[in-house]
Amino acid sequence: MTTSARPLQFLRRAAVTLACLALIPSASGAGSSRSAPPTGPGGGFVDVTQAVGLSYAVRPVEPDDDGDTAARLEDGGLALVDIDSDGKPELYVAHGGGEPGRLFSWDGRRFAARLDNGGIEATAPDRSGYFIDLDGDGAMDFLSIHRDGAQAFRNDGGGRFAEMSDPFPTGSAKTHLYSMAAGDYDRDGDLDLFFAQWGKLSDGLNAPFHYLWRNDGKGRFEDITDIVPIRTLRQPGLTTPLEVSFTPTFSDIDGDGYPDVLLAGDFGTGQVLRNEDGRRFVDIRDAVITDENGMGAAVGDYDRDGGMDWFVTSIHDPEGRSGEGPTGNRLYRNLGDGRFEDATDTAGVREGGWGWGACFADFDNDGHVDIFHTNGYGVSEAGQYGLEEEYVRKYAGFLDDPSRLFMANGDGTFTERSSELGIRHTGQGRGAVCADYDDEQ
């Protein structure tokens, strides 16, 4: 799936574990009768995965007929939202390889499996899944992205889903869709979709397609990628370009009222796509954007100046053992006009290991957003997914790479405090959701 033969270990319990780290407030906080873990007076997190019913095994990835099994191992993610308006969230876990995702409902004590998966029947294991109101009826529909393409399921308003009939553009295969962001790029009142695609070989003749889909307001979409300049990768030995984007994010970075797109991409292909009045996008990436392996991303106003800043997870491997990276995460500070400056070292967030899904969230309620990202890469033994011992050794340093929690210091800098605050997750993670699932203050 990539010319550097860099597949990922499949997501087992990693994403589930990360969804269920409960925040324990400090001794002076209110809203919880639980005692704080032994992390000091500042409170911290406790792993409640098993207690809330989300500790389970997933079938391993089976070999593909095309020999591309390892390519699926980058997949997996989470979605959390209230789908039935009962005030309690539902959780969808996309496992990546092995088996299709599972839908759970929070009952106030545990996450219980939804009967018949709520009607969501993906035809293949999901790479990722999203709750989004596709047809504008106010109910959260579901979009599954997997190796067969994309499927949409309409919510009946009560949390039951039925597959939508042909809502997406016809024609060329959509088998390399990887992740998605939703936003109203043309400000017509409905949500349009922007996709990342990873591992797709362009034909060298036609412009990339299946990146931007415009919503007609009724949940039917047309491909209008021709208004977006997609950056591709050319590598020795390839006769055609490779498309290797990972994470798109809609955000109005220049304050003109139109959502722009920040696209984290592998092998230095990240883009800053400015929306010009809903007519077209222009890539305004400049020399400041230097992340080498942009994979996960988050947008937030970490310096509280009103501009949306961009955090990108990227491989930190200064010794170069893996042959990837090696210079780590990036934090791009918004200058207010769509341009960024690199605040990575000033902020202290470069050293993140092999990061994936990320989020900005104020975990300690001090008014300053913090940064979390999940981590991991590699396989534990030769023979898994057809990989040899050399591969195992090459990426061994990232197999049990812990998640990172960068806590804001209130002055534009961060301190990595994951272990100190109780986050000791070293399993393989790909996606992360940062939310108050149990409605505790």
Side-chain angles (χ1 to χ4, degrees), residues 328-348:
N329 297 334
R330 295 294 191 276
L331 178 58
Y332 301 116
R333 178 177 174 269
N334 192 336
L335 299 178
D337 58 0
R339 294 178 300 125
F340 293 91
E341 67 177 11
D342 191 338
T344 305
D345 291 323
T346 300

Side-chain angles (χ1 to χ4, degrees), residues 13-15 17-19 21 313 329 351-358 371-377 398-406 416-432:
R13 299 182 187 174
T17 301
L18 291 176
L21 292 168
T313 58
N329 297 334
E351 298 183 15
W354 200 299
W356 289 97
I371 299 171
F372 171 83
H373 66 78
T374 186
N375 280 36
Y377 189 74
F398 298 100
L399 182 62
D400 298 314
D401 192 19
S403 299
R404 303 301 203 270
L405 177 64
F406 295 99
E416 206 291 306
R417 300 177 61 192
S418 56
S419 181
E420 173 193 351
L421 294 179
I423 297 180
R424 301 181 181 93
H425 177 259
T426 57
Q428 293 283 316
R430 294 299 175 267

Side-chain angles (χ1 to χ4, degrees), residues 146-440:
H146 47 67
R147 287 175 63 82
D148 290 343
Q151 283 178 275
F153 297 86
R154 177 176 285 108
N155 187 341
D156 66 2
R160 287 293 302 177
F161 295 86
E163 186 170 4
M164 299 171 69
S165 176
D166 299 323
F168 299 139
T170 59
S172 302
K174 310 171 186 66
T175 55
H176 288 90
L177 300 180
Y178 182 79
S179 66
M180 184 275 292
D184 186 8
Y185 90 92
D186 52 2
R187 301 203 308 183
D188 66 351
D190 52 46
L191 291 172
D192 311 296
L193 309 180
F194 195 104
F195 293 87
Q197 299 190 61
W198 195 92
K200 177 182 177 181
L201 281 170
S202 300
D203 62 13
L205 300 174
N206 300 299
F209 49 86
H210 290 326
Y211 281 87
L212 179 59
W213 292 357
R214 181 168 56 200
N215 193 336
D216 68 358
K218 299 178 181 179
R220 299 188 67 84
F221 295 84
E222 64 172 324
D223 185 0
I224 57 166
T225 305
D226 58 336
I227 70 170
V228 185
I230 296 297
R231 184 185 294 262
T232 58
L233 174 72
R234 289 189 178 274
Q235 287 191 332
L238 288 180
T239 58
T240 58
L242 189 64
E243 298 170 29
V244 287
S245 56
F246 267 123
T247 305
T249 307
F250 276 107
S251 181
D252 182 6
I253 60 173
D254 54 7
D256 68 351
Y258 285 88
D260 310 293
V261 174
L262 299 170
L263 183 59
D266 214 350
F267 306 111
T269 61
Q271 294 183 259
V272 179
L273 297 166
R274 185 178 63 202
N275 185 344
E276 297 198 337
D277 302 327
R279 296 178 293 105
R280 63 171 184 166
F281 288 83
V282 176
D283 189 359
I284 60 171
R285 167 183 168 146
D286 58 21
V288 171
I289 310 302
T290 56
D291 53 278
E292 294 139 326
N293 298 99
M295 294 186 285
V299 169
D301 184 12
Y302 85 93
D303 55 0
R304 304 198 303 181
D305 67 352
M308 300 306 290
D309 311 300
W310 187 26
F311 175 75
V312 178
T313 58
S314 187
I315 301 164
H316 184 254
D317 183 16
E319 297 179 5
R321 289 175 296 179
S322 69
E324 308 290 349
T327 64
N329 297 334
R330 295 294 191 276
L331 178 58
Y332 301 116
R333 178 177 174 269
N334 192 336
L335 299 178
D337 58 0
R339 294 178 300 125
F340 293 91
E341 67 177 11
D342 191 338
T344 305
D345 291 323
T346 300
V349 297
R350 182 181 296 276
E351 298 183 15
W354 200 299
W356 289 97
C359 68
F360 276 108
D362 183 3
F363 293 112
D364 54 3
N365 297 318
D366 67 350
H368 297 271
V369 290
D370 313 296
I371 299 171
F372 171 83
H373 66 78
T374 186
N375 280 36
Y377 189 74
V379 294
S380 58
E381 60 186 52
Q384 287 183 303
Y385 321 119
L387 299 171
E388 299 178 354
E389 183 64 35
E390 178 183 357
Y391 175 88
V392 176
R393 290 195 301 268
K394 183 177 182 180
Y395 298 114
F398 298 100
L399 182 62
D400 298 314
D401 192 19
S403 299
R404 303 301 203 270
L405 177 64
F406 295 99
M407 296 298 293
N409 298 318
D411 59 0
T413 68
F414 296 80
T415 300
E416 206 291 306
R417 300 177 61 192
S418 56
S419 181
E420 173 193 351
L421 294 179
I423 297 180
R424 301 181 181 93
H425 177 259
T426 57
Q428 293 283 316
R430 294 299 175 267
V433 170
C434 299
D436 182 10
Y437 72 90
D438 56 358
D439 198 27
E440 288 192 339

Side-chain angles (χ1 to χ4, degrees), residues 70-114:
R72 284 191 285 165
L73 309 181
E74 295 181 349
D75 307 342
L78 303 162
L80 184 75
V81 74
D82 180 5
I83 63 173
D84 52 10
S85 302
D86 67 351
K88 298 174 183 177
E90 276 68 42
L91 172 69
Y92 190 87
V93 182
H95 302 122
E99 63 183 70
R102 299 188 193 180
L103 179 64
F104 301 88
S105 288
W106 176 249
D107 63 10
R109 190 175 58 90
R110 295 171 60 86
F111 280 99
R114 197 87 169 185

